[in-house]
Amino acid sequence: MEFLHDIWGFLKTRKKFWLLPAIVVLLVFGGLIVFSSGSAIAPFIYTVF
Amino acid sequence: MSEKKKIILGISAYYHDSAAVILIDGKIVAAAQEERFTRKKHDPAFPKNAVRYVLEEAGVTMEDLTAVSFYDKPFIKFERLLETYHAFAPSGITSFLAAMPVWIKEKLFLRKILRDEFEKVTDIALPKKTPILFPEHHLSHAASAFYPSPFEDAAILTVDGVGEWTTTGIFHGKGKDITALKELHFPHSLGLLYSAFTYYCGFKVNSGEYKLMGLAPYGHPKSERVEKYKKLIYQDLIDVREDGSLLLNMEYFNFATELEMCDDEKWNKLFSLPRRKPEDELTEEYMDMALAIQEVTEEIVILLARTAKKLTGSKNICLAGGVALNCVANGKLHKTGIFENIWIQPAAGDAGGALGAAYAAYHIFLKQDRRVSGDGRDAMQGSYLGPEFSSPEILRTARKYEAVSHYVADFDTLAKRAADLLSEGKVVGWFQGRMEWGPRALGARSILGDPRNADMQKRLNLKIKFREGFRPFAPSVLAEESEKYFDSDIASPYMLFVFPVKENRRKIIPATAKGLYERLYVSRSDLPCITHIDYSARVQTVHKETNERYWKLIDAFREKTGYGLVVNTSFNVRGEPIVCTPEDAYRCFMATDMDALVMGDYIFLKEEQPGEQKDFQNTYEAD
């Protein structure tokens, strides 16, 4: 929560909302790498097969 | 009821030179760099040892802190990275992929990481209500330069590689307020320009810049080659404006997208000179190149200072940022007389950001008033802000190594013994009191020698420090005697100014001496060891009120020899951080050609010590 609050504060103060999609994509992929402890596409492969 | 004390912990970490500082009611209680504890030069890791030390020294825990202040804003740095990669895409994809994981996993979550680290280090969590603040990188530098300075009002100039976006900043400090006036943004950076030349001349970026500065005087001033290099720099590499702002021609630089500073091929074509590999011979071309970029840097710093003067109208200037460690440029700036007074933060690099962050939290966030001493003295306490070791701790080390030591109860006698050793041409390790804050050894962790000794430079460089022979040595001079040896009218307690050696002390360098080492080993004055090839010296003035023991030693040397100065180099070997503990000092002493070690009240003589360690210098990677 603290992180979301900080990142919102940063985007608002700096008026850099266009960075939001890039940050979200990076965080989603980053999260996938961390939680699947390996390749970012592994979770999608399992859902397909 | 008395008001609760305001205790601020300042941190710099995760780039280079991690450090921690504790400030209590605006007074610096302790400050230390992590590298001194971990023995890893420029250690960028979270400064757990430094944090532990400063809290212990202050006698406080995480629960007592009013605020924690980190020296930059990670989100804005991340913004800069994303925008830069976007601007240069698709080039830079490799560097992007290398940089992103660490940001996504760690750096973006810095607040949480800091809280976790504090708990791990001290076993006590930082209370949720204690704020963690993130002042901007250059504001931290500006605060580290202005708040401890002796000035009520001053222009502040900060110049480094890059912080978040800012690479150069001009501020106005007044009382407890700092106002930002002008900024220059990445990738246009004087610090990165100097680092690109450091890289091209075969030295390590972020640590070899001072070697490039030391090499510059070997260049040939006003020679055709130096002038040609300068012209090429101004014409093809940079566009400098009247106010000192500059634009880099990014055709020639790769640092924005790659893991290297510049395009070797283009530079080779431009200068008709290939990049020097780290241990290659230093030819005259590289000396001239070092001189050219040094002169360009000085010219830009002076233009920036003029702008700062115009914008603030102040008679004082404070400097910080890595470029402020360029003591040759500082000396030139002083000589211009643009400002009456100049003060430089001794830890001008990123470590000093921890101090600035703490000060910014205290004066700006907590709005606490600032008191200037009024007697012209700064608040740095001589920069002796690190750990100190007692006699039992020194004896414990002596016992561990079965070392032979002599206890001398009376310090005046000890100083005389050490002065005798120095006057006999011996090299003495000097370990006294609290460790220095900042990159310079200032007589708390120093290796000392006789400046009159013509062979001393060679011996110190090759047999004690195991470093390049061309590297100059600095003098520590009694503040009262400085003008006898140097053309200087100001104090330089932190070794941050270069002054010319007095003309009547100089000797002419014969025209037949041409190569680097031929010129190096010619006696240039009656103080050959500390007189650089251009008759300059990087002076430390020693003041009785900030380091009485060191002052007394030099005074004893003066009584013995008539010369009130000694050679002072940091207590370490090449690539090693300056020693911190008695054990670090004893190991370094035993592994080098040092003759004696004076540690606290004890003298250790080399010939009496059991055994000899070999190859200690190989423990550390050459810098």
Side-chain angles (χ1 to χ4, degrees), chain B residues 1-5:
Chain B
M1 200 179 86
S2 69
E3 213 179 309
K4 206 178 163 217
K5 282 187 173 171

Side-chain angles (χ1 to χ4, degrees), chain B residues 556-574:
Chain B
F557 185 76
R558 182 192 58 78
E559 271 179 23
K560 175 98 188 158
T561 63
Y563 284 77
L565 72 173
V566 294
V567 182
N568 171 12
T569 183
S570 53
F571 201 145
N572 59 347
V573 295
R574 183 182 180 185

Side-chain angles (χ1 to χ4, degrees), chain A residues 11 16-28, chain B residues 82:
Chain A
L11 292 169
K16 293 278 168 120
F17 295 104
W18 70 271
L19 285 174
L20 187 61
I23 293 172
V24 169
V25 169
L26 284 169
L27 286 174
V28 167
Chain B
L82 289 184

Side-chain angles (χ1 to χ4, degrees), chain B residues 94-228:
Chain B
T94 323
S95 153
F96 175 79
L97 291 174
M100 281 308 115
V102 69
W103 274 94
I104 293 164
K105 276 167 83 174
E106 292 171 13
K107 290 188 177 178
L108 280 180
F109 303 94
L110 199 56
R111 202 186 287 277
K112 183 181 177 320
I113 284 180
L114 288 176
R115 285 191 185 277
D116 292 348
E117 290 285 359
F118 289 139
E119 193 168 351
K120 251 193 270 171
V121 168
T122 63
D123 288 331
I124 298 173
L126 181 71
K128 280 264 179 249
K129 64 173 181 12
T130 310
I132 301 182
L133 309 167
F134 296 90
E136 271 191 49
H137 187 93
H138 273 254
L139 176 63
S140 295
H141 276 317
S144 78
F146 175 63
Y147 290 128
S149 80
F151 310 135
E152 185 61 45
D153 177 294
I156 311 166
L157 178 60
T158 60
V159 191
D160 71 356
V162 60
E164 294 87 1
W165 277 105
T166 309
T167 60
T168 298
I170 296 176
F171 303 79
H172 191 177
K174 228 174 180 180
K176 67 175 171 61
D177 300 316
I178 290 180
T179 314
L181 301 173
K182 267 199 174 208
E183 282 179 353
L184 186 66
H185 282 187
F186 183 84
H188 309 295
S189 162
L190 179 57
L192 290 173
L193 174 71
Y194 202 85
S195 291
F197 277 90
T198 303
Y199 160 83
Y200 204 73
C201 289
F203 303 115
K204 260 193 187 171
V205 173
N206 278 339
S207 71
E209 282 76 3
Y210 60 100
K211 293 187 191 178
L212 192 69
M213 184 183 75
L215 184 65
Y218 291 98
H220 302 83
K222 310 257 178 265
S223 67
E224 207 179 300
R225 192 161 44 211
V226 171
E227 294 307 313
K228 182 186 110 184

Side-chain angles (χ1 to χ4, degrees), chain B residues 425-593:
Chain B
K426 302 278 199 288
V427 176
V428 176
W430 183 254
F431 183 104
Q432 300 287 339
R434 294 185 74 177
M435 185 178 70
E436 299 90 343
W437 162 246
R440 305 269 173 262
L442 301 170
R445 305 286 186 274
S446 292
I447 298 173
L448 310 176
D450 184 345
R452 302 167 304 159
N453 190 324
D455 290 330
M456 191 56 79
Q457 180 170 6
K458 197 175 181 178
R459 189 170 162 221
L460 281 173
N461 266 335
L462 303 179
K463 294 203 159 175
I464 289 165
K465 304 277 286 190
F466 306 113
R467 66 184 203 181
E468 301 91 333
F470 74 87
R471 306 269 299 276
F473 285 101
S476 288
V477 61
L478 297 175
E480 302 79 352
E481 296 246 313
S482 177
E483 286 184 40
K484 259 171 82 173
Y485 308 99
F486 309 106
D487 281 325
S488 69
D489 50 357
I490 52 167
S492 174
Y494 308 119
M495 214 182 259
L496 285 169
F497 291 99
V498 161
F499 299 130
V501 170
K502 283 256 182 217
E503 270 202 52
N504 58 359
R505 296 190 170 273
R506 299 180 187 177
K507 290 178 187 166
I508 291 165
I509 300 173
T512 48
K514 290 236 180 288
L516 187 153
Y517 290 102
E518 254 182 86
R519 284 193 289 155
L520 178 65
Y521 297 131
V522 165
S523 180
R524 297 172 290 273
S525 77
D526 63 337
L527 300 162
C529 185
I530 55 93
T531 307
H532 206 5
I533 202 86
D534 59 352
Y535 299 109
S536 68
R538 193 184 62 196
V539 177
Q540 179 201 0
T541 51
V542 179
H543 304 255
K544 198 174 182 182
E545 53 283 14
T546 49
N547 193 343
E548 191 175 3
R549 285 197 157 209
Y550 195 34
W551 188 93
K552 279 188 169 176
L553 165 74
I554 304 171
D555 197 45
F557 185 76
R558 182 192 58 78
E559 271 179 23
K560 175 98 188 158
T561 63
Y563 284 77
L565 72 173
V566 294
V567 182
N568 171 12
T569 183
S570 53
F571 201 145
N572 59 347
V573 295
R574 183 182 180 185
E576 183 194 11
I578 296 178
V579 299
C580 175
T581 63
E583 184 162 353
D584 299 337
Y586 187 77
R587 286 178 63 223
C588 185
F589 164 63
M590 287 304 291
T592 62
D593 208 15

